[in-house]
Amino acid sequence: MHDFITAIGLVLAIEGTLYALLPGALKRMMAQAQGAPDQVLRLAGLGALAAGVFIVWLVRG
């Protein structure tokens, strides 16, 4: 459970940094995402999920 809470904190820190440094770019990206088909967003999400699981698998072995 400790690792899970640490991971959530890291995600929030990274996301907060992006919002603080690049608010305009994130707004444009969100506007583009609203116009994207659901299938494209679903595939991008699955790709990110697979990459995340792979990274954790590599690091944690």
Side-chain angles (χ1 to χ4, degrees), residues 6-20:
T6 301
I8 297 225
L10 183 58
V11 167
L12 291 173
I14 292 169
E15 190 170 342
T17 300
L18 291 175
Y19 278 104

Side-chain angles (χ1 to χ4, degrees), residues 23-49:
L26 286 172
K27 284 182 180 180
R28 287 189 299 277
M29 184 177 69
M30 286 183 221
Q32 286 178 338
Q34 285 184 332
D38 288 351
Q39 189 64 19
V40 170
L41 295 175
R42 187 171 289 116
L43 288 174
L46 287 172
L49 171 65

